[in-house]
Amino acid sequence: MTLKGWVIYNGHLPGPKFKDFAEWIREAGEKQGTDIAIIPNDHLLSFHAENGPTILQKEKTNFPDFVLYSDKDIPLARTIETMGIPVFNSSHSIELSDNKIETYQRLAAHHLPIPRTMVAPKVFSGSLQAETFLSVPEFFTFPFVVKEAFGSFGEQVYLVHTEEELQQKLLDISNRPFILQEFIETSYGRDLRLNVVGDQVVAAMERTSDNDFRANVSAGGIMKPHTPTAQEKELAIQATKAIGADFAGVDLLFGKDGYPIICEINSNAHIRNIFDCTGINVADYIVSYVLNQVNRGKK
Ligand SMILES: Nc1ncnc2c1ncn2[C@@H]1O[C@H](COP(=O)(O)OP(=O)(O)O)[C@@H](O)[C@H]1O
Ligand SMILES: [Mg+2]
């Protein structure tokens, strides 16, 4: 019997960029003889009552054998898991990846190389004062990175050079959760993106920017294919496993002497840029890995 899948994406994000992944997954499924339907998250409503959790569907179909989750709607993913349907990536790994505070906590617990990171205390209203951090002897020297817990495309990542800049940033961030982080200056405008699927690095690129410390392509970074070292590959795989993801786009920074340092793990990495850069279609690897896992009944 052939397996049937769903790929769930967020129905309320602007532009085609967010549906891209879902379409590539559906096509990869077609090539591999599996029907994968594309479904926006808001066509599926988590419903809970005494007879258990379920999903109310807009277009009623049979529940699938597996779900590929291209969204960050954690409660929906969790309901689907509770119904016994395997979800890739798991809701827990997406949650850890989405929240940079939880990501670094997990990586540090695994003793993996990360920039030294301090988590800002929670505030309910107003904002913290620069003084909270500057009086700590372990504090980093300027410049250092301020990073919001939730963000992408480099848009919520800042480099602060002075106490005044820090104070202004704290005001801008207000009561949103954030971290302060050592600036890896050997990686200024330069990083690596490794795409991990299962136990394998399937594609890699280097990104460089001439005019910004952030190397994100959406922030102006230029891509070039990269052949990862054994150490880089190992680290990207360990990082992916540390958050319990089945596949991920892992960003690595260049430490001293090129020593790799984990920057972040994207459980919901877009795959068009890496395809444009390397010609490698990560969706093919993801679908074949997922079908393998489901067939083996591993999840
Ligand atoms: N601690 C750091 N030191 C140096 N550069 C960093 C550091 N953290 C992030 N960067 C740069 O900023 C970019 C965006 O940061 P990242 O944590 O990956 O956030 P996002 O989720 O927005 O991509 C990285 O790709 C890297 O180029
Ligand atoms: Mg990133």
Side-chain angles (χ1 to χ4, degrees):
M1 199 187 74
T2 56
L3 297 171
K4 284 214 184 309
W6 286 353
V7 55
I8 295 174
Y9 74 103
N10 194 286
H12 281 84
L13 283 169
K17 181 149 131 178
F18 294 96
K19 204 176 168 188
D20 231 27
F21 179 89
E23 274 156 2
W24 288 40
I25 289 290
R26 194 191 58 72
E27 282 164 25
E30 206 169 291
K31 282 186 255 169
Q32 297 180 43
T34 295
D35 177 26
I36 304 178
I38 300 180
I39 310 207
N41 68 318
D42 56 343
H43 286 201
L44 303 170
L45 299 174
S46 268
F47 188 78
H48 301 267
E50 193 175 348
N51 55 356
T54 193
I55 299 288
L56 307 178
Q57 302 182 55
K58 189 165 183 193
E59 293 91 19
K60 289 199 175 43
T61 59
N62 289 335
F63 288 121
D65 299 298
F66 64 90
V67 168
L68 267 144
Y69 213 74
S70 168
D71 193 9
K72 294 185 177 175
D73 185 339
I74 306 295
L76 174 63
R78 202 145 285 163
T79 302
I80 298 172
E81 286 168 346
T82 316
M83 292 166 67
I85 301 168
V87 177
F88 302 87
N89 280 309
S90 69
S91 62
H92 188 58
S93 66
I94 294 175
E95 195 170 28
L96 290 177
S97 163
D98 192 33
N99 183 337
K100 290 183 168 77
I101 296 176
E102 293 186 23
T103 302
Y104 290 114
Q105 285 176 322
R106 192 44 88 97
L107 294 172
H110 280 74
H111 298 271
L112 291 169
I114 53 172
R116 292 187 305 129
T117 296
M118 184 148 55
V119 179
K122 183 177 177 71
V123 285
F124 286 99
S125 62
S127 62
L128 289 156
Q129 295 300 308
E131 199 274 322
T132 314
F133 306 105
L134 299 177
S135 59
V136 176
E138 289 83 5
F139 197 62
F140 326 111
T141 47
F142 286 110
F144 56 84
V145 171
V146 170
K147 210 181 267 195
E148 296 191 36
F150 301 98
S152 359
F153 312 120
E155 286 168 13
Q156 289 76 18
V157 178
Y158 322 99
L159 192 59
V160 296
H161 301 81
T162 61
E163 182 172 345
E164 291 68 37
E165 271 184 42
L166 173 61
Q167 188 57 60
Q168 187 53 51
K169 208 35 88 185
L170 300 183
L171 286 170
D172 296 344
I173 292 177
S174 180
N175 56 356
R176 295 192 296 275
F178 68 97
I179 55 173
L180 301 107
Q181 190 169 69
E182 171 190 11
F183 174 50
I184 307 298
E185 59 177 323
T186 40
S187 206
Y188 189 103
R190 202 170 150 235
D191 74 0
L192 294 175
R193 162 59 62 89
L194 272 64
N195 286 82
V196 175
V197 180
D199 290 325
Q200 236 191 315
V201 171
V202 301
M205 63 180 171
E206 181 176 345
R207 305 179 293 192
T208 47
S209 173
D210 284 341
N211 50 20
D212 201 293
F213 77 101
R214 294 161 296 191
N216 301 68
V217 173
S218 19
I222 306 290
M223 315 179 277
K224 89 166 188 250
H226 174 76
T227 307
T229 64
Q231 191 184 28
E232 289 161 0
K233 284 198 261 190
E234 183 56 30
L235 189 57
I237 294 166
Q238 283 178 334
T240 304
K241 290 200 186 306
I243 65 155
D246 294 284
F247 51 88
V250 181
D251 293 345
L252 299 179
L253 300 170
F254 294 94
K256 285 207 178 68
D257 305 319
Y259 182 80
I261 297 173
I262 303 164
C263 179
E264 71 154 344
I265 311 153
N266 296 283
S267 61
N268 298 35
H270 295 183
I271 54 178
R272 179 181 287 275
N273 283 341
I274 192 84
F275 176 77
D276 289 344
C277 176
T278 65
I280 296 169
N281 185 341
V282 177
D284 292 337
Y285 289 91
I286 293 176
V287 168
S288 118
Y289 167 87
V290 165
L291 293 180
N292 204 355
Q293 292 293 105
V294 176
N295 277 323
R296 284 208 233 152
K298 270 209 160 172
K299 279 222 140 185

